[in-house]
Structure formats: structure tokens, C-alpha cells
Amino acid sequence: MQLIQASSFAASVDGLILLITGMVGFWFILANIVFFGLIWRFRAKPGVKSRYITGSEPHLKRWITIPHALVLVCDVFIIVGAMRVWYNIKQRLPEADATVRVIGQQWAWVFQYPGTDGTFDTADDFFTTDDLYVENGKTYHFQLQSRDVIHDFSVPVFRLKQDAVPGRTITGWFKPTRTGTFDIQCAEICGIGHGVMAGRIHVQDTAEHAAWIAGHSPAGAQTASAQ
Ligand SMILES: [Cu+2]
């Protein structure tokens, strides 16, 4: 069963893992077939004396140099693929539609939303704990922080994983591509409660998310009560 892909970059991470598994797997199987084949072929036989081979003879050395060169060619494919995926996810920061602050602490996730003014630490900010609400198809920047020790913000269906380091604000991005409720898990051993430091991300469609914001933001709540 394949794990759901729910972000714009999930498929590229899976593709990279598949590429590496395929190339490494091919050489693993081939090397083992040759290895055990040679052991079988040159097994002890009555009346046949074993031969001492240094391995420096050119026709024998080729067994090392040719596969070695081919493996290096595979490495080029893997390095180029890895750099492209890394650049897209970690180096590049696409324009944000919205920003959310993600704060790890022993042992919960706190999510801070900037409210309608789009600015953090103002009167219309609001917070949730362990449940993050986002809109499908929008590009989000996250500002990842920690209140105590190193945590790691991991959303498996997004193929997103980023350490939270005390004293630093680490900015990253994601773009959900599928509505639903998915797991968030701290992926860095952060103390006795690490295993229960889980959360959920709710990827909502536009109408659902607008209704959620209206019901939760202080500004939205005021508007609702004034009507
Ligand atoms: Cu943690």
C-alpha cells in the first residue's frame, strides 16, 4: 500500500526514493548473483588444486573497474535527482498565499495564525494546539520555532520534515493538494513524551476553511456576533 501523497512535492520525493531503490537494488541483486555463482562454480572439487590469484591481472581487474564505472554513472543520476528535489523543497521559497507559525514544545504543537491582517503578534492572532487547519491548493509558509529542545515537524503525507531548533525561526513551505485529516508527528526524540507529541493537519476546501477562520479568529467572531 502506498502512503497518500498530499502535497505538491510529495511525488518528487517518492520518485527519488524509487530511483535510488531501483539502482541500488539492481546492483545488490546482480552482485549477489555473481558472488554466489562464483562460489558455486569454483567450489572444492576432488583432484583440482586451488589457484592463487592476486587480482592484478588486467582481464580479472575488469571485474572491478567496469562495474565501478557503471555505479559511478548511477551516482550521477542520483545526485542530480537529489539536488533537484532538495532545491525545489528546501532552497526555493515560492510566494506564499498564507503563513502559519508552528511552535514545538514538550510535548505539543502550537499553531499560530496571523488573522486577517496577515501579521503575527497582533490582536487578531489566534492559536490552536495539535490541530493545524489549512486550505487546499494554497501555498503556505511556515515559521518553525521551538520553546525548549529540538523537535521535528513531520507531516508524512506531505513528505515534509523539518527540525525545530530553539532560538531560531526556520522558514519553509508546503502546498497541500488533497483535502482530509492527516498525521503530524514529532520526528526528533525530545523527551519522555516524544511518542505522544502527535497532531493532525486538516486540509480543508476553500468554503470550509473560510468558515473555520470566521469561527475562530477574534475578528471573525466579532463580525459574527455583530450580525
Ligand atoms: Cu518533539
Side-chain angles (χ1 to χ4, degrees):
M1 195 195 81
Q2 201 199 14
L3 186 62
I4 292 167
Q5 298 171 333
S7 80
S8 59
F9 51 67
S12 67
V13 174
D14 288 359
L16 184 64
I17 290 172
L18 204 67
L19 175 81
I20 295 170
T21 307
M23 286 185 167
V24 173
F26 169 77
W27 286 105
F28 175 77
I29 290 166
L30 186 67
N32 276 283
I33 289 171
V34 172
F35 181 58
F36 286 103
L38 289 174
I39 288 176
W40 177 253
R41 185 158 165 223
F42 296 103
R43 68 191 181 280
K45 288 182 194 116
V48 180
K49 269 188 89 175
S50 54
R51 221 167 6 125
Y52 179 71
I53 292 165
T54 64
S56 62
E57 299 88 336
H59 76 287
L60 295 177
K61 239 184 178 172
R62 280 201 285 269
W63 284 82
I64 305 292
T65 51
I66 293 171
H68 187 192
L70 293 174
V71 165
L72 288 179
V73 171
C74 292
D75 280 348
V76 172
F77 279 96
I78 290 172
I79 290 166
V80 170
M83 278 168 62
R84 285 176 59 181
V85 171
W86 181 265
Y87 175 79
N88 179 35
I89 301 172
K90 298 289 188 183
Q91 302 287 120
R92 194 173 70 94
L93 195 62
E95 197 78 17
D97 297 312
T99 305
V100 63
R101 190 175 278 165
V102 178
I103 306 153
Q105 62 182 79
Q106 288 172 319
W107 288 278
W109 293 105
V110 173
F111 303 107
Q112 184 176 355
Y113 307 82
T116 43
D117 65 356
T119 311
F120 284 112
D121 304 319
T122 53
D124 68 344
D125 284 16
F126 57 104
F127 297 82
T128 55
T129 305
D130 286 339
D131 287 88
L132 171 60
Y133 293 83
V134 294
E135 184 182 339
N136 189 28
K138 290 272 187 278
T139 300
Y140 279 81
H141 283 187
F142 59 82
Q143 295 181 358
L144 186 57
Q145 300 178 346
S146 169
R147 289 215 173 111
D148 35 47
V149 299
I150 298 175
H151 297 280
D152 189 306
F153 180 60
S154 169
V155 185
V157 291
F158 286 2
R159 309 297 186 270
L160 169 67
K161 208 179 233 187
Q162 178 63 56
D163 273 7
V165 181
R168 284 182 62 183
T169 297
I170 296 168
T171 304
W173 71 281
F174 59 80
K175 183 182 176 185
T177 53
R178 188 179 172 131
T179 55
T181 297
F182 309 106
D183 288 339
I184 293 171
Q185 177 64 53
C186 181
E188 181 73 50
I189 298 282
C190 57
I192 191 80
H194 164 69
V196 295
M197 193 174 161
R200 285 152 302 277
I201 183 163
H202 305 269
V203 181
Q204 304 173 306
D205 62 36
T206 307
E208 215 183 348
H209 192 64
W212 181 82
I213 287 198
H216 280 76
S217 65
Q222 278 163 20
T223 319
S225 60
Q227 281 165 350

